[in-house]
Amino acid sequence: MNPVSFFHGVYPILRKRALAKEIYDLTLHAPDIAMAAQPGQFVHIRVDGFQLRRPISICEADPCRSTLRIVFEVRGDGTKALSQLPEGALLDLLGPLGKGFDILPGGKAVAVGGGIGVPPMLAAIQPYGNDGTVICGFRSATAVILQEDFVRAGAQTLLCTDDGTAGRKGFVTAALDELLRTEKPDIIYACGPQPMLKGVVALAQAHSIRCQVSLEERMGCGVGACLVCGCKAVKDGEEYIAHVCKDGPVFDSDAVIL
Amino acid sequence: MSDLPISPAQTASDDGHLAVRMCGIDFKNPIIPASGAFGFGREYESLYPLSRLGGISVKGMTLHKRDGNPMPRVAETPAGMLNSVGLQNPGVDYFIEHELPNLLTKDTVIIANCAGSTVEDCTEMAKKLNRTGVHMIELNISCPNVKAGGLAFGVDCQSAATVTHAVKNAAPDKPVMVKLSPNVTDITAIAKAVEAAGADAVSLINTLLGMRIDLASRRPILKQNVGGLSGPAVFPVAVRMVWQVANAVSIPVMGMGGVSTWKDAAEMMLAGATCVQVGAALFQNPLAPIEIIDGLRQYVEESGISSISDLIGGVQPW
């Protein structure tokens, strides 16, 4: 069993931006977490007045600048309160938590993100530079986020919207299907709604490409102690209940039942 | 109780004023992470040494491994949370083989929390645990999240007494503490029944049955529809029940339910608790047990009382 290693502290918000309607981008000064963070891991954020912390994936960690970037959507009262904190406010974080994406040095990767599943794809694709491709899907042009960041990371970007108001009209799975006809990446990363994940995993399997998915579940402790965030997983051919916070949020697609 | 394991309190000189004794066991301080909130202790070790804790009540175990309930298993509530984990655990044999040896090196009291759907299951577990180094058995007859057993024992005096008696006989070398449910008309009746059946202590309260419904989908948030409420919302209920039970029985009481601060813990002790467990508070603040211990230490120093145990049952009712 691996030793658990994460930090607990309060970290100031250096910068806050609204990226789209109800989507916020916070940059925090968090040297220890930024140093330790792996792509795909998350931080568990305490929000005053709420019993449970909010798990938010790490969008970008910069150990040189000691910064951590998180991008989240206002989904309820807790994330709303979080979105109302001003620059300079202190955030109580636990992190980095969970198991992140496996990065393959020298390999080629495709990252597929849907909606608020897009932010962790930035950390995942950055290590690949020009050998990375990102396929993002959003409801509409007004919901599109982070495209310049992916370009800055050197990745090729493919943008899809459900209504065709930006990029191509249609789902990310159609774009991925097309891409895989001409390219064979070493790994595919995916984060987004369940149907999208299933579609991506099916395509990866059809092309015999390794695939990792990042899952979401209502969480309690965030560190693997309380066991509320279960998900069906497979090990040595046997089904068992894994936990998204500790065994995930990133799983190999063949080790989890979506 | 002739060959009790080494008392962890013997190695904790700095916490002398915080030491309490319960069922012949010395606790270096009265603060114990509650069952279900702390796993088997591994997860929080990167934040503080487990030796700082008075004890650890481990994740509730059953005779055989259980996968638990379907997701979602958690919902937030005003000043609290609902859970419906359903006793997911690796089984008592796995605990004894893979978790207990590690826990016993941590210089703190280890409380084995166990639940069973039959008297036979409970007895079998007690026999196995009696042969180990666990310091105490906490018999959970109050889990609201499993259909068979669990709560079924905890809401009926006769069944509570039967299972307590059987477990006590099966584990004659361990103090047996029975964890009581608040989901009853009169908790003191159950407490008296398990005392008469041989319980060495009682712990209370387990969670209160609750429910949340999502307005948009008209579905309960929890997949099991209902679950156990914990957190600050239940604290006054827990204090009241600890007080009632402490007055009704002569065995010691371990108090729990919504304790988040050292003042809450002190209040629980005034109500009659010898030790205090901390559960839901860990999810908001993983340092809660440590901050509570530090707060109690400072309180003892500043108030000039000789020992934290002076607080136990010290409430002056009107």
Side-chain angles (χ1 to χ4, degrees):
Chain A
M1 213 166 288
N2 295 325
V4 190
S5 178
F6 54 88
F7 302 98
H8 176 230
V10 287
Y11 306 93
I13 300 173
L14 297 178
R15 199 161 80 112
K16 172 185 168 182
R17 285 193 303 162
L19 294 187
K21 188 172 183 292
E22 306 285 37
I23 308 274
Y24 291 87
D25 177 351
L26 301 184
T27 301
L28 310 168
H29 179 73
D32 47 9
I33 299 181
M35 188 71 81
Q38 299 296 314
Q41 287 187 298
F42 69 98
V43 288
H44 214 22
I45 307 177
R46 180 171 176 171
V47 187
D48 281 347
F50 295 85
Q51 180 69 24
L52 298 175
R53 288 170 177 261
R54 268 51 182 176
I56 311 268
S57 65
I58 294 170
C59 174
E60 201 177 359
D62 186 338
C64 299
R65 293 201 175 89
S66 299
T67 57
L68 193 70
R69 188 175 173 202
I70 54 171
V71 173
F72 65 95
E73 180 176 32
V74 173
R75 290 233 182 128
D77 296 337
T79 39
K80 186 172 179 76
L82 187 59
S83 75
Q84 287 165 344
L85 293 173
E87 287 178 356
L90 295 174
L91 274 191
D92 179 327
L93 303 187
L94 272 177
L97 297 175
K99 185 187 155 299
F101 294 109
D102 288 342
I103 303 299
L104 309 180
K108 282 187 171 189
V110 174
V112 186
I116 201 59
V118 167
M121 292 306 150
L122 183 57
I125 212 67
Q126 276 173 336
Y128 292 95
N130 295 328
D131 289 324
T133 302
V134 184
I135 306 175
C136 295
F138 300 95
R139 289 183 310 277
S140 181
T142 53
V144 174
I145 56 169
L146 297 173
Q147 297 305 293
E148 325 78 61
D149 295 89
F150 287 119
V151 171
R152 210 171 300 133
Q156 183 194 159
T157 57
L158 293 169
L159 176 62
C160 311
T161 51
D162 297 353
D163 62 4
T165 49
R168 56 183 284 170
K169 182 172 163 45
F171 293 138
V172 289
T173 39
L176 178 64
D177 191 13
E178 212 168 282
L179 182 81
L180 294 181
R181 283 176 204 165
T182 54
E183 290 193 33
K184 179 148 189 186
D186 299 292
I187 192 161
I188 297 173
Y189 306 120
C191 184
Q194 188 102 336
M196 183 205 100
L197 293 182
K198 282 186 176 177
V200 170
V201 170
L203 285 168
Q205 271 170 355
H207 290 85
S208 306
I209 297 166
R210 191 177 164 202
C211 181
Q212 289 190 312
V213 294
S214 179
L215 304 185
E216 190 178 50
E217 185 52 73
R218 284 173 184 266
M219 278 185 197
C221 69
V223 298
C226 76
L227 311 184
V228 302
C229 61
C231 67
K232 280 188 186 169
V234 187
K235 198 177 197 173
D236 304 325
E238 264 187 58
E239 219 176 278
Y240 74 107
I241 301 295
H243 292 93
V244 173
C245 71
K246 190 179 182 178
D247 305 308
V250 174
F251 292 88
D252 275 310
S253 61
D254 55 7
V256 75
I257 299 168
L258 293 173
Chain B
M1 310 270 286
S2 51
D3 51 4
L4 273 175
I6 299 164
S7 291
Q10 290 170 357
T11 58
S13 51
D14 64 327
D15 274 345
H17 297 302
L18 292 185
V20 291
R21 196 172 165 81
M22 183 171 171
C23 304
I25 299 170
D26 290 316
F27 293 77
K28 63 181 78 174
N29 65 63
I31 303 303
I32 298 162
S35 178
F38 208 69
F40 297 110
R42 293 182 188 272
E43 288 77 16
Y44 289 102
E45 243 188 321
S46 69
L47 297 181
Y48 43 86
L50 303 182
S51 61
R52 294 199 57 192
L53 302 166
I56 297 171
S57 178
V58 303
K59 171 66 192 167
M61 294 171 288
T62 46
L63 183 57
H64 304 293
K65 155 183 186 297
R66 278 180 62 94
D67 280 346
N69 291 335
M71 275 52 72
R73 295 173 172 181
V74 66
E76 199 167 44
T77 70
M81 57 179 281
L82 294 172
N83 90 79
S84 166
V85 173
L87 288 175
Q88 181 181 356
N89 80 94
V92 71
D93 289 334
Y94 181 94
F95 167 74
I96 291 169
E97 197 176 332
H98 299 285
E99 299 290 353
L100 183 59
N102 175 55
L103 281 168
L104 290 175
T105 66
K106 302 303 178 186
D107 187 27
T108 190
V109 174
I110 303 303
I111 303 172
N113 182 293
C114 41
S117 48
T118 63
V119 174
E120 291 70 31
D121 277 12
C122 293
T123 310
E124 193 60 31
M125 272 190 282
K127 274 186 197 159
K128 289 170 186 274
L129 289 166
N130 191 55
R131 296 191 291 260
T132 69
V134 299
H135 301 94
M136 194 175 210
I137 293 173
E138 184 175 46
L139 175 63
N140 177 4
I141 58 166
S142 45
C143 178
N145 293 324
V146 293
K147 280 191 183 117
L151 192 53
F153 289 125
V155 296
D156 174 73
C157 289
Q158 185 54 50
S159 334
T162 304
V163 70
T164 301
H165 185 72
V167 165
K168 190 61 207 167
N169 278 345
D173 305 323
K174 305 292 178 191
V176 172
M177 174 166 74
V178 181
K179 186 165 179 178
L180 305 181
S181 171
N183 302 306
V184 292
T185 310
D186 179 7
I187 195 168
T188 63
I190 310 279
K192 285 184 207 162
V194 300
E195 178 183 38
D200 298 290
V202 286
S203 56
L204 61 136
I205 57 174
N206 205 319
T207 53
L208 281 150
L209 209 52
M211 184 177 191
R212 294 292 319 261
I213 300 168
D214 179 69
L215 188 57
S217 65
R218 300 194 173 190
R219 292 278 202 180
I221 293 175
L222 297 175
K223 198 63 178 273
Q224 293 290 96
N225 299 319
V226 298
L229 177 65
S230 59
V234 310
F235 177 66
V237 178
V239 171
R240 183 263 295 180
M241 288 189 163
V242 164
W243 179 62
Q244 288 178 321
V245 167
N247 282 304
V249 299
S250 46
I251 50 177
V253 176
M254 203 175 272
M256 70 208 64
V259 172
S260 313
T261 66
W262 73 265
K263 285 184 179 173
D264 295 343
E267 193 174 329
M268 194 71 98
M269 293 183 80
L270 284 173
T274 301
C275 288
V276 176
Q277 293 189 9
V278 179
L282 279 157
F283 304 155
Q284 191 179 60
N285 177 15
L287 296 179
I290 301 301
E291 289 176 5
I292 291 171
I293 292 163
D294 290 344
L296 289 176
R297 182 184 297 109
Q298 195 174 343
Y299 170 73
V300 169
E301 283 165 7
E302 287 173 1
S303 64
I305 59 173
S306 61
S307 161
I308 196 71
S309 57
D310 289 359
L311 291 182
I312 302 166
V315 60
Q316 305 279 315
W318 297 104

